[in-house]
Amino acid sequence: MSWIDLLRMSGSNLKRRKLRTFLTVLGVIIGTASIVVMISLGLGLQESLYREVEQSGGLTSITVRGQGAGESMSYYSSSGEEEESQKYISDQTVSDLSQIEHVTLASPVYEMWVIMLKGNYEGSGSLVAMSPEALKAKNIPLGEGTLPTPNSGNLELVFGNGVSTMFYDKGGGGGYYDTGEVPDIDFVNDSIFMILDQDGYYNSMGSGMEFGDTGEMGGGQAQSKTVKKHVVKGCGIVEGGPENYSANYYNIYCDLDTLRNVLKKEFAGKVIPGQPSTKSGKPYKEFYYSYAQVNVDDIDNVNEVSARIREMGYNVETNAEYLETMKSQFAIIQAVLGGIGAVSLFVAAIGIANTMMMSIYERTKEIGVIKVLGCSLKNIKQMFLLEAAFIGLLGGMIGNVLSFLMSAVINFLTGHGAAMGFDGNISYIPLWLVLLSMGFAMLVGVVAGYFPALRAMKLSPLAAIRNE
């Protein structure tokens, strides 16, 4: 019997029992869709991680930390066993780092939390000051404007696309997460008041102190009990809207030298917020940074450079270490999610086996007749296995279509990952997953139909013909 004949007979046998075939295929559809969607959630998280790593400098970037300076947000440490370094990151530190072999760029970074005022709106954000070289190397995707001009004398800011969500209406109108609407502020063209002395601002709210306006950066001497407001303007904004989360979402970038000069002028003779002080409470002459960003020429040299920096007494975080740690966690997540989906496919396999077994009982006489007519045992087994494979293939195809629809709904409901704090779709279905799931569905069908096919081979022709 040729393969064409086997395919024709298998197809006609399935058509004769439409309802039973439909219900069996439905089980495979649900099982396939479940396992694909479950795995797609883990893949979506993994893709988001890759984009975050790329936005953070890629796998050749190293973050060097010493004792804390500035007012930065919490950060991930790739090694929970490392104790805080007793050394500060200074200009000399950055110079030493740049001399290490394979280092292509070593740049200081200073972070501090600032308050922003515009009309009746008040907001806050993380001000990240970097050198022009480091800002350029960061490859910040700008939707509008340019990077800050170095040493311009005025603070020029690049706003993250999520900074607008940090503003709220002081009159009780709420903020973005209350109303779903961003404030009416043009971050590139509008002037905004920025307050660097966060403690002074909040103290003034309760003590009736007044603000000192400065129409230009660092203009005028700070009066006693006065919190200075700096007039700043944006020079660029990160591409995307509030719904497009990224590594640059909440950050506000500026030129490091300009910010340092502004801080030294405003806090002349006083301790700059976030900077260390002597035991008597006086400021140090040297300016210390939150951390240093180091770029290495090749990923193969990252571990060597990291070891050299640790020997210098500093803590090191690398995206490569972070990625490896997260990969192992995502592998566990995907295994759990895939296992949950596989349960549905296992139930579908039982349904296929049941359908094929019932088909044998109903077609006992037919099997006996084709045996008597000279059909080989191999052909009989192939015919039943093809029927089971058809069920698996059809269920796998429709299941994948359903999984794409479910994935689209999940991404839509989560705002393409924004509602969950992810950069990009939370569900991601690559082509290889589609092909693998269809192949797996066919394999499940064939395995489920194997033992019924063996039973069909073992039927006695004479006993089958006499069967009523």
Side-chain angles (χ1 to χ4, degrees):
M1 187 180 295
S2 67
W3 279 100
I4 298 297
D5 295 330
L6 287 172
L7 291 171
R8 188 183 298 114
M9 289 185 65
S10 299
S12 62
N13 288 331
L14 292 175
K15 289 179 181 177
R16 278 190 294 171
R17 299 164 181 82
K18 292 184 176 64
L19 180 59
R20 184 187 298 165
T21 301
F22 168 74
L23 294 176
T24 307
V25 170
L26 182 61
V28 180
I29 292 172
I30 295 173
T32 303
S34 298
I35 195 170
V36 170
V37 171
M38 287 294 184
I39 293 178
S40 76
L41 296 176
L43 292 175
L45 296 176
Q46 187 168 296
E47 287 296 309
S48 177
L49 170 65
Y50 290 153
R51 285 190 293 271
E52 181 181 339
V53 168
E54 189 62 32
Q55 292 170 1
S56 301
L59 298 178
T60 58
S61 176
I62 300 175
T63 299
V64 182
R65 295 188 183 271
Q67 283 206 60
E71 299 165 324
S72 59
M73 299 177 69
S74 59
Y75 60 90
Y76 170 85
S77 175
S78 59
S79 175
E81 299 178 355
E82 284 188 340
E83 297 182 357
E84 183 179 3
S85 171
Q86 299 303 307
K87 295 183 176 182
Y88 287 102
I89 303 293
S90 63
D91 288 321
Q92 183 60 50
T93 303
V94 176
S95 177
D96 293 340
L97 292 173
S98 65
Q99 301 302 315
I100 297 176
E101 188 179 4
H102 303 301
V103 170
T104 59
L105 174 66
S107 176
V109 181
Y110 190 73
E111 291 185 359
M112 64 182 301
W113 202 254
V114 296
I115 298 168
M116 294 168 288
L117 305 171
K118 176 62 179 177
N120 205 39
Y121 292 106
E122 178 179 324
S124 57
S126 177
L127 185 64
V128 183
M130 307 177 74
S131 68
E133 297 80 13
L135 280 170
K136 187 176 181 180
K138 196 170 178 62
N139 293 321
I140 301 172
L142 296 179
E144 184 180 351
T146 61
L147 294 176
T149 304
N151 298 309
S152 64
N154 296 321
L155 276 176
E156 297 179 356
L157 309 176
V158 171
F159 290 96
N161 54 304
V163 172
S164 58
T165 66
M166 302 293 286
F167 280 78
Y168 68 95
D169 188 344
K170 292 188 292 184
Y176 173 77
Y177 296 106
D178 301 311
T179 64
E181 298 180 359
V182 295
D184 185 20
I185 302 175
D186 186 343
F187 286 93
V188 175
N189 298 310
D190 289 351
S191 296
I192 298 175
F193 285 120
M194 176 177 285
I195 298 172
L196 302 175
D197 187 0
Q198 190 177 195
D199 291 338
Y201 173 74
Y202 287 122
N203 289 335
S204 70
M205 299 294 288
S207 62
M209 288 162 48
E210 298 181 352
F211 296 112
D213 257 352
T214 60
E216 57 186 40
M217 288 298 94
Q221 295 294 321
Q223 300 175 2
S224 176
K225 297 185 179 180
T226 299
V227 177
K228 185 177 293 185
K229 294 190 295 184
H230 299 277
V231 179
V232 297
K233 292 189 70 173
C235 61
I237 188 166
V238 177
E239 68 177 6
E243 69 281 356
N244 304 118
Y245 182 80
S246 68
N248 305 307
Y249 193 75
Y250 291 115
N251 290 341
I252 306 167
Y253 296 99
C254 70
D255 179 63
L256 177 59
D257 288 339
T258 303
L259 176 64
R260 184 171 51 196
N261 292 335
V262 169
L263 288 170
K264 287 183 176 180
K265 194 172 224 180
E266 179 177 347
F267 297 93
K270 297 183 293 185
V271 178
I272 297 173
Q275 288 290 302
S277 61
T278 63
K279 292 181 179 180
S280 59
K282 295 182 179 180
Y284 286 104
K285 292 182 179 181
E286 193 164 10
F287 190 88
Y288 297 107
Y289 304 99
S290 304
Y291 58 93
Q293 201 69 37
V294 173
N295 290 351
V296 182
D297 56 6
D298 192 274
I299 188 173
D300 294 332
N301 299 321
V302 169
N303 289 337
E304 178 187 340
V305 174
S306 298
R308 289 282 305 278
I309 297 174
R310 287 191 176 99
E311 290 174 359
M312 294 168 61
Y314 296 97
N315 292 340
V316 171
E317 304 161 30
T318 70
N319 286 334
E321 292 175 348
Y322 172 63
L323 186 61
E324 286 301 316
T325 301
M326 295 305 295
K327 268 186 175 181
S328 61
Q329 295 180 9
F330 281 139
I332 296 173
I333 293 173
Q334 286 181 344
V336 172
L337 293 176
I340 294 173
V343 171
S344 300
L345 206 55
F346 176 71
V347 174
I350 296 175
I352 294 174
N354 179 63
T355 296
M356 301 309 299
M357 192 64 74
M358 292 300 297
S359 178
I360 290 170
Y361 284 128
E362 292 174 355
R363 295 158 56 192
T364 299
K365 184 174 290 188
E366 177 187 330
I367 294 170
V369 170
I370 62 176
K371 279 188 174 183
V372 170
L373 293 175
C375 181
S376 68
L377 297 179
K378 180 181 179 182
N379 286 150
I380 293 175
K381 182 174 74 170
Q382 289 173 341
M383 181 174 63
F384 279 92
L385 289 179
L386 277 174
E387 289 181 27
F390 272 143
I391 293 174
L393 177 61
L394 186 60
M397 292 172 62
I398 301 176
N400 271 289
V401 173
L402 179 61
S403 66
F404 274 105
L405 294 175
M406 293 172 64
S407 177
V409 171
I410 291 172
N411 290 329
F412 175 77
L413 294 178
T414 58
H416 298 281
M420 306 291 290
F422 296 118
D423 174 20
N425 293 332
I426 190 174
S427 176
Y428 168 66
I429 304 177
L431 178 61
W432 65 263
L433 180 58
V434 174
L435 298 176
L436 183 63
S437 62
M438 289 177 59
F440 186 61
M442 282 187 64
L443 178 64
V444 168
V446 171
V447 171
Y450 183 75
F451 289 104
L454 288 181
R455 178 177 175 80
M457 289 173 58
K458 294 176 181 179
L459 283 176
S460 169
L462 294 177
I465 292 173
R466 290 197 301 267
N467 182 70
E468 294 295 334

